Amino acid sequence: QVQLVESGGGLVQAGGSLRLSCVASGSIFSINAMGWYRQAPGKQRELVAIIHKGDSTDYADSVKGRFSISRDNAKNTVYLQMNSLKPEDTGVYFCKANTWSGVLRDYWGQGTQVTVSS
């Protein structure tokens, strides 16, 4: 019904930058909040950033000042600009969207790997 496709992950050196994208498609009437989560090996999945309907944002303390989340409603796309990357940022990054398509549901992307080398 609804698909989220992520892109932009890869291998980068510490101090570098990456820009992640997530495009939602399918039977969508509207998208409410969208967020980025990450999961490092052996750790729980954690919230990285969220952008609400109306474009207010929240960030994990560990990424404040380095990451920026944004959205393009016309393209059903959410972005995560990641600057000054650190090795501890390494993990699988997932996009989540809360959508209205007859029923309110949460959908997750497949995840994209981000690896930061020192």
Side-chain angles (χ1 to χ4, degrees):
Q1 293 181 277
V2 177
Q3 298 82 40
L4 302 180
V5 179
E6 301 154 344
S7 62
L11 175 64
V12 66
Q13 293 183 352
S17 298
L18 286 173
R19 183 175 174 85
L20 306 183
S21 299
C22 173
V23 181
S25 63
S27 183
I28 304 172
F29 293 160
S30 65
I31 300 176
N32 299 311
M34 301 186 76
W36 288 96
Y37 297 72
R38 69 186 180 190
Q39 187 166 20
K43 292 188 176 182
Q44 294 181 270
R45 187 175 298 183
E46 64 175 347
L47 175 68
V48 176
I50 186 168
I51 184 164
H52 303 274
K53 191 173 184 179
D55 293 343
S56 62
T57 58
D58 294 292
Y59 297 92
D61 288 340
S62 60
V63 306
K64 285 182 178 178
R66 299 189 297 120
F67 291 10
S68 180
I69 188 171
S70 61
R71 65 192 292 176
D72 186 335
N73 292 328
K75 298 180 179 179
N76 287 335
T77 301
V78 63
Y79 305 94
L80 185 68
Q81 178 67 45
M82 305 186 294
N83 299 322
S84 302
L85 283 162
K86 304 174 180 179
E88 50 263 46
D89 294 319
T90 294
V92 179
Y93 283 69
F94 298 90
C95 174
K96 187 182 81 171
N98 180 254
T99 70
W100 172 255
S101 56
V103 180
L104 279 171
R105 294 187 184 276
D106 287 336
Y107 290 91
W108 291 86
Q110 78 285 356
T112 184
Q113 177 70 42
V114 172
T115 303
V116 184
S117 65
S118 57

